[in-house]
Amino acid sequence: MAASGNPTASVGRSNVRIVVVGDQGTGKSSLIVSIATESFPENVPRVMPPTRLPADIYPDRVPITIIDTSSSPDNKAKLIGECQLADAIILTYACDRPATLDRLSTYWLPELRRLEVRVPVIVVGCKLDLRDEQQVSLEQVMSPIMQQYREIETCIECSALRQIQVPEVFYYAQKAVLHPTAPLFDQETQSLKARCIRALKRIFILCDNDKDGALSDAELNDFQVKCFNAPLQPTEITGVKKVVQEKMPEGVNDRGLTLTGFLFLHALFIEKGRLETTWTVLRKFGYNDDLKLRDDLLPTSFKRAPDQCVELTEEALDFLKGIFAMFDIDSDGALRSAELEDLFSTAPESPWAESPYKDAAEKNVLGGLTLNGFLSEWALMTLLDPASSLANLVYIGYTGDPASAFTITRKRRVDRKRKVSQRNVVQCFVFGPKNAGKSALLNALIGRSFSEKYVPTTSECFAANFVDVPGVVKKALVMREIPEDGVKALLSNKESLAACDIAIFVHDSSDESSWKKTTELLVQVASHGENNGFEVPCLIVSAKDDLGPYQSAIQDSTRVSQDMGIETPIPVSIKLRDYNNVFRKIVTAAQNPHLSIPETEAGRNRKQYRRLVNRSLMFVSVGAAVAVVGLAAYRVYAARKNTSG
């Protein structure tokens, strides 16, 4: 594996902005004039105007703009502004003035950190021709400083007078921007970073055409041609494998270069300063500086109305079922954490390690993610973040057209008119007061055991699983718990209920105050839907049925249900595992979006008013029609009379 041709054909930058800073008299301006004119200036201005180096000065063929600065206190604001616009910083000291070297760690480097300037820093010792040969070597001096300030990319000494290593100064600065070390390599541990390993592993798998776990000579050659537009000679391939085998025997086997060997080669390139080789490979396969696939390779927006959602197609689900089977190494019908980590080892990170996905789906008794749980997590991710869902599909090996993996649902308003929902993923908002049993209901959906301990929910939580409904395809139910304190914030958005297929209202059936708060929430949500045109079917769930109802519970629930035109509450006891088919009832109600829609008194009055207005308009229309007909009849009568006369 060797770099040839243009290594940065897909760098994607049109310019690199390098800002030169340092103490007064350290040689900043002379350095800039020297690179621009290839000669030492007789008279140097105190601060040089912006200087542009042409694209062809270095192999990367990206122009450089060099910004000179003044260290005078009067120009502090300008210096700060320039540093914050920089792609890289060249920080100078004078080789003949040790005090300016000390100032790097006592002032300049801490100051750049204070200003939150997070770009590569190239430390440059100017006036090398004046350096005292008795001084300690640059490596000895800079090693402890570089340990403390990891932003220092490299250190170099130069002489503008003698034209020693001046071009190298700006080459290293440009290279630090175009081929940064930080995303790829951990200087402290001297090893590839996790995200770099994940990207290179995916590239290795894509290039391993026969899927035998090694790159054969032919596959290595194809890889070389793809990345560097030049084939490898047989002797070069043999040489590459020999280098790997000597340092790491497991890096090569009888089938070719293994993943271990592939990663070792890239670590070797980076250690030897050939970062452009690894970056060329990464960019050829579509990776950006964050080691994620570029936006132009992944549609990041799915155009849809507020009441439309994104779902996976059967084609995508079949792909995911195949992936599940492939990584279920022990064939126990579940993915253990190690198997799941392996599955996502070609993605920048595991997407379900944090909320809202962590612990949001069904697991077996050993903590393995079941197939239902696996597909439920994908349904949840596609619902909440379709762009992330697409990206992760691609990372784990989906090569089909993105359009064939996703479908956008019909608008909910259309579903209501047609009196049926075609959605395969049902999103259910779960409302209720504190300690009503909302979390227990979510846990029941994913088969988690009941806990007596009450833990208040402080942020939105999700649970997702598939539900069997007789006569229809199995549906994924996504339950989104809204904390009581979060209802106001949710309803402050006019479109907050647009994506909701059904809302349920959970109350503690043994507590009258819980029931009253629940009915208040029901009225709030129903009013919000009526006012904004996003009415949703609603159900009431009477939790903790094992505790027995409060005294007037039946009378109160009957009255509210009748007044608002919805079904009577569904009693459940999560503790006794008496779910009363509640999840099936939720999905069934969502499949009939024209039913179970609560009507508030204000909403009912508005409807009556509209009916009266429409009836009045109808009477006016009928009266006008009668008048027109009467006028026409009179005209006919008058015409006949005139004729007979």
Side-chain angles (χ1 to χ4, degrees):
M1 203 182 332
S4 348
N6 180 5
T8 54
S10 55
V11 162
R13 274 185 173 269
S14 58
N15 184 62
V16 171
R17 186 181 181 89
I18 298 171
V19 177
V20 184
V21 303
D23 281 350
Q24 189 173 351
T26 53
K28 300 188 294 294
S29 301
S30 296
L31 179 66
I32 296 169
V33 175
S34 182
I35 185 65
T37 65
E38 297 183 12
S39 62
F40 185 74
E42 291 294 330
N43 298 304
V44 185
R46 288 193 61 183
V47 178
M48 287 285 294
T51 303
R52 186 175 173 86
L53 303 184
D56 59 2
I57 192 169
Y58 297 122
D60 290 320
R61 303 191 66 80
V62 176
I64 295 174
T65 300
I66 306 171
I67 306 296
D68 195 7
T69 61
S70 167
S71 57
S72 165
D74 296 341
N75 295 296
K76 182 78 177 283
K78 189 171 187 337
L79 183 142
I80 290 172
E82 294 293 1
C83 287
Q84 290 172 336
L85 293 173
D87 294 319
I89 299 284
I90 286 178
L91 177 55
T92 63
Y93 68 93
C95 290
D96 62 334
R97 291 164 55 199
T100 61
L101 178 58
D102 294 338
R103 285 262 297 167
L104 300 185
S105 53
T106 60
Y107 174 74
W108 285 105
L109 290 164
E111 178 68 1
L112 290 172
R113 280 194 179 177
R114 188 186 68 79
L115 296 173
E116 297 184 352
V117 177
R118 296 187 179 92
V119 297
V121 175
I122 312 299
V123 172
V124 179
C126 298
K127 308 184 184 182
L128 177 59
D129 52 290
L130 299 178
R131 186 176 189 271
D132 182 358
E133 289 303 320
Q134 301 301 314
Q135 284 180 340
V136 182
S137 71
L138 177 65
E139 186 177 349
Q140 286 177 295
V141 171
M142 289 305 303
S143 184
I145 299 175
M146 291 181 74
Q147 286 288 326
Q148 184 180 356
Y149 295 94
R150 295 289 176 181
E151 55 268 42
I152 300 174
E153 192 76 16
T154 192
C155 304
I156 185 172
E157 292 177 325
C158 69
S159 168
L161 177 66
R162 306 288 184 208
Q163 289 290 296
I164 300 172
Q165 297 202 125
V166 171
E168 285 83 347
V169 169
F170 295 93
Y171 171 68
Y172 286 135
Q174 185 199 57
K175 186 178 174 182
V177 176
L178 302 181
H179 313 296
T181 304
L184 306 185
F185 201 71
D186 188 323
Q187 300 278 18
E188 198 161 332
T189 61
Q190 288 292 293
S191 59
L192 295 175
K193 286 191 173 178
R195 191 176 278 191
C196 177
I197 292 172
R198 288 166 171 265
L200 290 173
K201 181 178 178 180
R202 176 172 172 269
I203 291 168
F204 178 89
I205 291 170
L206 290 173
C207 295
D208 181 16
N209 297 319
D210 55 11
K211 305 303 175 194
D212 66 348
L215 298 183
S216 65
D217 290 2
E219 288 167 339
L220 266 175
N221 194 56
D222 290 344
F223 167 81
Q224 177 77 12
V225 170
K226 177 179 174 68
C227 295
F228 304 105
N229 304 315
L232 278 171
Q233 297 303 316
T235 53
E236 291 178 303
I237 293 176
T238 303
V240 165
K241 291 196 290 188
K242 187 178 179 182
V243 168
V244 174
Q245 203 157 25
E246 285 175 357
K247 300 284 186 181
M248 190 165 285
E250 66 271 29
V252 177
N253 61 24
D254 56 354
R255 295 186 300 277
L257 186 72
T258 65
L259 174 61
T260 303
F262 187 73
L263 295 174
F264 168 77
L265 271 179
H266 283 282
L268 195 62
F269 291 144
I270 293 167
E271 284 176 21
K272 291 185 177 298
R274 289 176 53 192
L275 288 98
E276 64 273 16
T277 302
T278 299
W279 273 117
T280 299
V281 170
L282 291 164
R283 287 176 177 135
K284 188 61 73 171
F285 282 85
Y287 285 90
N288 61 20
D289 284 1
D290 293 324
L291 295 186
K292 292 184 176 182
L293 289 174
R294 296 193 313 267
D295 290 346
D296 59 302
L297 300 177
L298 298 169
T300 53
S301 64
F302 290 77
K303 291 184 179 177
R304 59 196 186 277
D307 59 347
Q308 289 180 294
C309 294
V310 183
E311 294 180 356
L312 292 167
T313 61
E314 281 301 316
E315 181 179 323
L317 290 171
D318 287 343
F319 166 78
L320 290 171
K321 289 172 186 174
I323 286 288
F324 181 91
M326 184 190 305
F327 284 88
D328 181 15
I329 306 299
D330 52 11
S331 301
D332 65 346
L335 296 178
R336 293 176 288 107
S337 57
E339 291 170 331
L340 191 64
E341 176 59 36
D342 193 24
L343 188 153
F344 283 116
S345 64
T346 50
E349 51 266 319
S350 182
W352 303 337
E354 304 294 336
S355 60
Y357 308 111
K358 187 179 181 182
D359 300 327
E362 177 185 81
K363 293 181 179 178
N364 65 14
V365 290
L366 299 175
L369 194 64
T370 64
L371 177 60
N372 266 355
F374 181 69
L375 297 177
S376 297
E377 289 277 27
W378 279 100
L380 175 60
M381 183 160 61
T382 305
L383 182 74
L384 300 181
D385 189 357
S388 179
S389 184
L390 169 59
N392 280 286
L393 270 179
V394 173
Y395 286 130
I396 66 172
Y398 184 78
T399 55
D401 180 357
S404 65
F406 297 89
T407 183
I408 295 177
T409 63
R410 193 167 67 186
K411 292 181 180 179
R412 285 186 59 251
R413 289 177 179 178
V414 176
D415 285 346
R416 280 188 61 193
K417 286 180 182 177
R418 298 191 181 178
K419 300 182 178 180
V420 65
S421 171
Q422 297 177 323
R423 300 186 178 196
N424 292 314
V425 180
V426 173
Q427 182 168 199
C428 170
F429 284 19
V430 183
F431 296 94
K434 293 180 176 68
N435 204 16
K438 303 187 295 297
S439 298
L441 193 63
L442 266 71
N443 287 335
L445 174 66
I446 56 177
R448 195 174 294 155
S449 57
F450 175 77
S451 172
E452 293 276 5
K453 185 180 179 182
Y454 171 60
V455 179
T457 302
T458 55
S459 58
E460 289 187 354
C461 296
F462 290 83
N465 208 345
F466 283 85
V467 176
D468 283 312
V469 178
V472 299
V473 179
K474 188 186 284 190
K475 305 287 183 183
L477 173 61
V478 173
M479 299 185 76
R480 175 182 175 185
E481 180 183 351
I482 315 294
E484 183 183 3
D485 297 338
V487 174
K488 185 177 179 181
L490 177 79
L491 299 183
S492 64
N493 178 358
K494 291 184 177 181
E495 296 176 343
S496 58
L497 297 178
C500 175
D501 297 304
I502 183 166
I504 64 169
F505 296 81
V506 183
H507 72 101
D508 178 349
S509 60
S510 67
D511 183 350
E512 186 173 5
S513 64
S514 179
W515 165 253
K516 288 180 178 176
K517 287 178 182 175
T518 299
T519 54
E520 289 170 7
L521 288 170
L522 175 58
V523 171
Q524 282 180 48
V525 172
S527 299
H528 186 275
E530 289 171 342
N531 294 337
N532 298 293
F534 293 115
E535 296 99 326
V536 296
C538 295
L539 295 176
I540 300 172
V541 175
S542 294
K544 307 184 184 182
D545 194 46
D546 51 287
L547 298 180
Y550 65 88
Q551 194 169 4
S552 58
I554 296 174
Q555 185 180 346
D556 288 349
S557 62
T558 302
R559 176 179 53 79
V560 169
S561 301
Q562 288 178 344
D563 285 353
M564 301 194 76
I566 59 175
E567 294 180 29
T568 55
I570 305 166
V572 300
S573 170
I574 306 301
K575 183 178 180 179
L576 301 180
R577 299 181 64 82
D578 180 9
Y579 302 152
N580 197 4
N581 287 324
V582 65
F583 303 119
R584 185 179 293 176
K585 289 174 181 176
I586 290 170
V587 172
T588 302
Q591 293 299 111
N592 297 280
H594 59 299
L595 302 176
S596 304
I597 295 178
E599 190 175 54
T600 65
E601 188 175 349
R604 194 178 301 115
N605 291 339
R606 272 197 298 271
K607 282 185 180 177
Q608 288 175 348
Y609 176 73
R610 288 195 202 102
R611 280 197 288 270
L612 284 171
V613 170
N614 290 338
R615 196 175 300 153
S616 300
L617 289 173
M618 186 177 70
F619 286 145
V620 169
S621 300
V622 170
V626 169
V628 169
V629 170
L631 181 59
Y634 173 76
R635 285 175 176 165
V636 170
Y637 167 74
R640 286 178 180 170
K641 187 175 180 182
N642 290 337
T643 303
S644 62

